[in-house]
Amino acid sequence: MDISKKLKFYQSTKTKAPESAIPASLKVLQSHFNGEVVSEQAPYLKIVRAYPLDYPPSVQLNLLTKGILSTSIPLDKCLFFDLETTGLSGGTGTFPFLIGIGYFAESSFKVEQFFLPDFGREYYLFRYLDEILPQFDYLVSYNGKSFDLPLLKSRFILNRVQSDWERMMHIDLLHISRRIWKDSFENITLGSIEENLLNRQRPDDIPGALIPQAYFTYLRTGVVHDVIRIIEHNYLDIISMADLILILAKIEENPAELNDPSALIRLARLAYEQDSALYFDKVWDYFEGHHQAIPSQLLCWRSLKAKRENDWDRACTLWEELLNTQEYFYFAIEELAKYYEHKQNDFLTAQKYTQRGLKALKLVEELNPYHPDLSLMNALEKRMLRLSKKTKNINC
Amino acid sequence: MNLDQLIDYLGNDSEFQKNITKWLVFDSKAASYVDFPENLNPKLIEALRQKGISKLFTHQRETFIEVQKGKHVVVVTPTASGKTLSYNLPVFQELLTNRESRAIYLFPTKALSQDQVKEAQDLVSHLKEDIKTFTFDGDTPYDVRRTIRSAGHIVVTNPDMLHQGILPHHTLWIKLFENLKYVVLDEIHSYRGVFGSHLANVIRRLKRIAAFYGSHPQFICSSATIENPSELANNLIDEEITLIDQNGAPRGTKHFLFYNPPVVNYELGLRRGVVSEVRQIARKIMPTGAQMIVFARSRLRVEILTTYLRDVARQLHISPDKVRGYRGGYLPKERRAIEKGLKNGSIQVVVSTNALELGIDIGQLDVSIMAGYPGSVASAWQQSGRAGRRQSTSLTILVSSSAPLDQYIIQHPDYFFNKNPETAQIDRDNLPILMSHLKCAAFELPFTEEEVFAPDITPQLLEFLVDEHILRKTDGKYFWMRDIYPADEVGLRSTAAENVVIIDSGHPEHRVIGEIDLFAAPEMVHTDAIYIHNTVQYHVDELDWDEKKAYVHEVDSDYYTDAITKTDLKVLDILQETEEAYGLRKTFGEVAVARVTTAYKKIKFHTHENVGMGRVYLPEQEIQTSALWWEFPDDLFVDPFFKESVIGEGLKGIAYALHHLIPLYIMCDISDISVIPMVNDPFTHKPTIYVYDKYQGGMGLSKKLFAIDRAVLSAVQTHITTCACKEGCPSCTGPVIDGGLFGKSSALKILNMLKLEMD
C-alpha cells in the first residue's frame, strides 16, 4: 500500500470514530457532583472540589521515613492519588475506572476525580495526567507502592502513554503509618486512621471488596447509586491522606502530639534505630511528664541507648530494673553478664548473672519441658563455660 | 569383564537367551562434522574452541543456517546429540550483535530448565560477555524478579509460569516483549494431549502480546523422534515449520535386547513379573562394573527395585551405596548429588522413573534397562539413549510386562528399526481449553472486532463471553469485566478442571495419596469401594462429592469391588463418514457420554465369587466429546457361530486389544481414551465399537484414529493372531474370566473378514 492510500485509510477511520453521545447516567452523575464531562471522543467525568485545610509550606518526614526523605518536602510539590479498580488482584486486565488526585494549592487541598463511565476511556485522561505530572516531585499514596502505582504504570503502557514515573519520590503513607500504629490498631487502614485520629466516621461507605461488582452493575444497568458512593469513598480516601500527612508532620516534630503509649514506644524504637537521641528523649519526657509508669519496653530501648552512649551507670541501673520484669529478664541478664565480662573484667559477677539466668531457665524448662528455648540455653551455657575458664586462668 | 565381554557372555547364556525374543544390533555411526558457518561470530567460534569444539554436527549447522534465514524450525534429535548447542548458536549470535535482543527458553519441567541455564552460563563464561541467563519459575525469589524482567537476555521458564506469571503481567516485561527475537521450545513431543493443547493457546497469547509490543519472535523447537514432528510443531506455534531431522552426532554400537519373561500361567497368559526378572538381569550385569540405569514405571516400583538391587549389591560384595533411587519427590539437593555421582562414577546403578529420561545431564552410562515398556517408542528411545558413550558400545534391555502393548512391542521390534509410527496429537481448538485461554488473553489485552485468536470462531466466542457478562463490548473492543485473575483458574497440566483427591485418613497427617479425574471417580472411589493404589488396598470410607474428596484407609481385604456403571452414549453430530470395504462403516462425530455408577459388586480374589453388592448414590456425569465408531454390517455375521453373545465377546475382545494398542499410533495414556463395544447399538442398530476421547470437548485422538484406523485395526489383528494363548489372555483380548470363552476366536473371525492387510 502506498503512502497516500495509507493516509486515506487513516483519515477514513478517523471520521468513522463514533460520536458517542453522553449517556444519561453520566449526566446524572455530572449534575449530582456539579462536574464536567470531558473529551468528546471518549467522554469521562471530571469532578473538582476544594477541601479547606491549613497547611505549612513544607513538612519534614525524615525520622518517620527512616531517613529516606531527609530534606523538607514542599507540600505544593506533592501529588496525592488513589484508584478505584475492577479488581484487587492486579495484572493487566484490572481497570482503574476512578482516578482521584489531590494537591495543595491556593490555601486549600484540591481534589480532582476522574470517573471513566466505560472501558477504553483512559487515553485522554492519561494524556492530561501526563501533562500535569511534571509540576510535582512527590507521589503520595496509601498502599500505592504495591498496588495503585504499578497498576497505573501498567495502564499507561497499555495506552502507549510514556510518563517518567521514576523521577518522582513516592511517599507511601501506609508504610509510615504501620511503623507508628502497628501495636495500636487492629489493622492499619485509612478507615481506622480516620476513626482513631481524625474522629471521622463513614456512615454510608461502600466496602472496598464490593467496588468492582458495583462498577460492573453500573456498566450493565446505568444505575448510579453505588457509583456515587464509590466517588465519595475515593474522595474521603484522598482528603484523609492530606490530613494524615499533616498529622505525621506534627508527630515528626513532636511525638507528644500522640496520646498513645503503644505508638510512642514504637516511635522510641524508631528513634533508637535512627540514632535520634533528641527525639528519643522527647518520648521519654512524655512518659515522665505524664507521671506514668514507664513501660518495660521503653526501659529496654532506653538501656540500649545508654549502652550506645557508653553511659554504663545508667544502663546498669536500667538492666537491674529490667530484671524485675518478665519479658526482659533474660535480655537484662545477658546485657549485665556481657558488661561485667567485657567492660569490667569482673568474671565472677558476670558468672553470677549467667548462673542466675541458667537457673531460671532450667526452672522454666522443668515446668514446661515441651518448648525449651535451646538457643538461649546454649548461649548461656557457652558463656558460663568461657567465664569459668577465664576465672581459672586468673586463679592460676 | 568389560561391556563387550558381558555382551558375549549374555549371548552365550542359554538361560538368558531363552527369554530374548529379539537381539537387535545398531551399528556404530561416525559423526558427520561440518565447519562453522562462515558468518558465525568469531567470539562464538573462539568460545567453542575453548570448550574443545572445533567443528559442528551437520544438524547444528543446518539449524543455524535455517534460523538465520528467518525460518521457524524443529530439530529432531536423539538424546546426547548436542541439541542445546543447536539453539544456543543462533540465539548467542543475535545477542552478540544486538545486546538489546531477548529470548525465551521454554522447558516442560523445572529440573530441565536448571540444566540448560548452567549450559548457557558456561558458554557465556567462555564468551566473557555480559549476557544474562536467568531461570524464572515459582522458586525465583521476589527481589531478583525485577532484575530478570529488565535485564535478563535469556529468560528460562516453563509453560505454567509463562501462563500465570509472565503474560498476565506483560507490562512489567516490556523490555522482553519489545525485543523478543527467539522462543526456544524444547522437548515438544512432551507437549501432547491436554498439556500441548493448552500450550498451543499459551503460544497464541504470547504471539499476541509480542505483536502488541511490535515483535514477532522466531521459534526454535526440538523434539524426540516421533512420526509427526513438523505437524506437532505447526499445531503448537501455528507457523510454517522447517524440519531438520538429519542427525550428525556419532553413535557407538548399540545392542537392543527384547526380553520377554517366561509364561507362568498359560491359561491366564501371565508372565513372570518384571521386577523379579530385572533383579535377575541386574545380578548378571552388576559384577562387570558397568554403569547402569533402570527405568521403572512408577515411583513405588523405583523404591522396590532400589531395595532389591541393594540386596543384590550386598550379596555381590558391592557397596549398596552405589545403588540409588531417583524420582520426583526427592529433594533437589539429593537429586543433584545423584546426578553428580553418576557423572563421576561413584554411583553404579540408578533406578529412576522417567524423570531421568529427559535431558538432565548425568553423563552417559553403559546399560539401560527398562522394567516394562515405557508407553511410547519415543520414550523407549530416550531411555535407551541414556546408555552409550559416544563411539563406544552400549546395551539396552527392554523387559516387557504382560500388558497387551508390551507384548505387542516385544513381538514387533521392527518399530525400533523402521519408522516410529507414533504421532503426537493436540487439539488447540478444543472448546473448553480455547475458551479459558481466550479469557486470559482478553484480560491481558482487550480484543478488537477484527482480531483472530482461533480461526473462524473468535467473534462467536467473544460474543458469548459478552452475553455471560465476562467481557464488555464497547467502541468495537472487548474488555475484561470480572474482578478475578483468569489465569489462576486454568491449570495447564490437569486433564480435568476438577478432580477428586484421595486422602488416607488412616495416616496421622491425612496424607494425599493420589487424585483421580472427576469422570472416573464414581467408579473407582465410590463409598465402600476397595481402591487399589500402588498395589496397596484401601477401603473408601466416604466419597465427599461436594468437596471432591475421597477418604480412605488401608485394609487387607480378600475381595475387590467392581462398580456397575451405566454408560449412555448419544450421538450428537456426524462430521465425517466413510464406507469401508465389506460394508464396515466408520464415522467421526460428536457424542455425549453420560455415566452413572449405581451399584457395585464385591468379588473375591482368586475364586472370583460374587460375595455381595452395594448401592451407590452419585450424580450422573456427562461429557461431550469427539468419537469415532465402526458399524459392523449384519451380513458379516451370517455364520451360525455368531450367536449374539459370541458377537459380544468378539467385539469386547477387539475393543480390549484396540484400547491398549492405540497409544502405539497416537501418543496418549490409555486412560485418555475409552473404547466401548455394543452388540446392538441403539443409534446404528448394528454391532458397533465406539472410541471416544475422555476429555470434555475432545483432544484430537479419535480424530486422528479416524484417519489411520486401518493400520491400527490391522495391528490389533496381527497381535491377537500371534498371541500364544488359546482363548484370550490379558495380553490380547482380555482375561477369559471377563472376555468369555469365545473372546479370542470371535474377535479374530471378525477381524479376518475385514480384509485389513493393506500392503
Side-chain angles (χ1 to χ4, degrees), chain A residues 86 92-93 118 154 160 216 220, chain B residues 168 171 212 443 469 472 474:
Chain A
T86 59
T92 52
D118 209 331
S154 170
R160 303 188 197 274
F216 298 147
R220 286 205 295 272
Chain B
T171 49
F212 176 77
F443 178 87
H469 301 303
R472 175 174 172 83
T474 178

Side-chain angles (χ1 to χ4, degrees), chain A residues 31-294:
Chain A
S31 64
H32 182 276
F33 286 106
N34 196 16
E36 173 196 359
V37 174
V38 193
S39 167
E40 274 184 22
Q41 301 98 315
Y44 61 85
L45 181 66
K46 177 179 182 179
I47 303 164
V48 182
R49 290 188 243 188
Y51 173 57
L53 190 62
D54 287 331
Y55 62 96
S58 67
V59 293
Q60 285 280 358
L61 290 176
N62 176 27
L63 179 77
L64 294 182
T65 58
K66 292 190 164 181
I68 291 170
L69 296 174
S70 52
T71 55
S72 75
I73 304 160
L75 279 179
D76 59 354
K77 289 288 176 193
C78 292
L79 182 67
F80 293 70
F81 77 105
D82 186 44
L83 311 180
E84 307 305 329
T85 65
T86 59
L88 305 171
S89 53
T92 52
T94 305
F95 173 62
F97 63 87
L98 177 61
I99 298 175
I101 60 171
Y103 49 90
F104 288 99
E106 296 154 22
S107 48
S108 73
F109 185 69
K110 287 258 166 53
V111 178
E112 293 183 17
Q113 287 173 289
F114 306 94
F115 172 71
L116 305 173
D118 209 331
F119 293 101
R121 298 285 171 86
E122 62 263 57
Y123 177 72
Y124 294 98
L125 167 60
F126 287 178
R127 290 277 299 275
Y128 167 73
L129 292 177
D130 186 46
E131 260 167 48
I132 63 165
L133 219 51
Q135 300 168 27
F136 302 98
D137 295 329
Y138 297 87
L139 288 171
V140 186
S141 71
Y142 201 84
N143 195 26
K145 271 193 178 159
S146 56
F147 185 75
D148 303 59
L149 188 59
L151 198 94
L152 201 59
K153 281 184 187 170
S154 170
R155 299 308 292 196
F156 268 62
I157 292 172
L158 285 176
N159 283 279
R160 303 188 197 274
V161 180
Q162 285 185 347
S163 290
D164 186 9
W165 300 99
E166 309 311 319
R167 176 185 68 83
M168 307 182 78
M169 292 293 280
H170 191 164
I171 308 171
D172 192 329
L173 299 178
L174 170 64
H175 295 194
I176 302 175
S177 303
R178 200 183 275 148
R179 217 164 275 149
I180 302 172
W181 290 292
K182 192 170 176 242
D183 297 334
S184 305
F185 315 144
E186 209 169 298
N187 41 39
I188 319 287
T189 59
L190 260 182
S192 64
I193 294 221
E194 282 168 16
E195 251 182 77
N196 291 291
L197 299 168
L198 305 170
N199 223 343
R200 193 148 66 210
Q201 306 286 330
R202 294 191 185 191
D204 190 36
D205 191 38
I206 181 163
L210 297 185
I211 287 176
Q213 280 311 324
Y215 181 66
F216 298 147
T217 309
Y218 163 80
L219 287 179
R220 286 205 295 272
T221 62
V223 175
V224 297
H225 176 72
D226 278 344
V227 174
I228 292 173
R229 292 171 71 202
I230 297 171
I231 292 176
E232 279 308 320
H233 173 96
N234 179 260
Y235 174 73
L236 288 174
D237 276 358
I238 291 175
I239 62 167
S240 292
M241 281 195 262
D243 285 323
L244 180 56
I245 202 169
L246 296 183
I247 290 176
L248 292 174
K250 282 183 189 155
I251 295 171
E252 168 91 19
E253 219 168 282
N254 181 11
E257 281 289 324
L258 275 172
N259 205 355
D260 177 349
S262 316
L264 280 161
I265 290 168
R266 290 193 64 86
L267 284 172
R269 176 183 170 171
L270 190 63
Y272 168 75
E273 283 168 359
Q274 296 299 310
D275 203 2
S276 166
L278 192 68
Y279 199 81
F280 193 99
D281 291 342
K282 282 184 188 169
V283 176
W284 187 265
D285 291 347
Y286 170 88
F287 279 97
E288 280 195 338
H290 284 71
H291 305 288
Q292 285 185 10
I294 296 193

